[in-house]
Amino acid sequence: MTMKQWLLSSFVASTCLFSIAAIAGPIEKYTPVTADRLKNPEPGNWMLYRRTYDGQGYSPLDQINTSNVKDLVPVWTFSTGVIEGHEAPPIVNNGVMFVATPQGQVIALNAKTGDEYWRYKRQLPDDLFQLHPTN
């Protein structure tokens, strides 16, 4: 198999697997990501690294503030099953949190409950060597 054939078959297989994974969970009222929404995200969404194209890293939400932040407690945790470094920040759209992990995974979670909607895991080449496997 030539490299071109291998890349094409890998792309087709991963596209099919992603399509199957994407329909596995009951995500309701999901609003598609558009260029306009990325330019001006709604307060409750975090669809880009640091939230905006200019990298503000600021949330306009005000329910949590300096007087009540001390009262925050974790309500759920989630283990991805991957021990290597998780460096990519989660992305949130309409209450769905997308987490990318090392080893080619993307996981969709209910941001409120931590319940998993679906998980896509890309098949990595057997001969892949990563000195520093992060996402």
Side-chain angles (χ1 to χ4, degrees):
M1 179 180 284
T2 68
M3 180 61 122
K4 190 174 185 178
Q5 290 171 322
W6 183 86
L7 288 172
L8 179 60
S9 56
S10 296
F11 173 77
V12 171
S14 64
T15 302
C16 292
L17 287 173
F18 187 78
S19 299
I20 291 167
I23 60 173
I27 299 174
E28 297 178 16
K29 300 179 184 176
Y30 187 82
T31 306
V33 176
T34 64
D36 289 336
R37 290 184 67 220
L38 290 173
K39 288 178 189 173
N40 188 23
E42 301 87 1
N45 291 316
W46 200 278
M47 298 180 286
L48 293 168
Y49 173 75
R50 298 197 52 81
R51 192 169 174 274
T52 59
Y53 278 122
D54 60 356
Q56 291 177 5
Y58 170 78
S59 173
L61 299 174
D62 60 4
Q63 187 177 6
I64 299 168
N65 54 51
T66 55
S67 64
N68 65 13
V69 70
K70 66 184 178 306
D71 300 326
L72 290 178
V73 295
V75 293
W76 60 265
T77 62
F78 183 84
S79 175
T80 64
V82 179
I83 61 171
E84 285 87 6
H86 292 60
E87 293 184 357
I91 301 296
V92 179
N93 183 30
N94 292 107
V96 180
M97 178 183 289
F98 299 93
V99 178
T101 76
Q103 300 179 5
Q105 286 192 95
V106 178
I107 305 166
L109 305 170
N110 180 315
K112 192 173 192 173
T113 65
D115 293 334
E116 184 176 321
Y117 285 122
W118 53 259
R119 178 184 302 241
Y120 166 74
K121 186 168 183 179
R122 181 174 179 259
Q123 181 66 42
L124 299 175
D126 292 333
D127 61 350
L128 176 67
F129 173 76
Q130 294 177 289
L131 194 56
H132 183 63
T134 58
N135 57 321

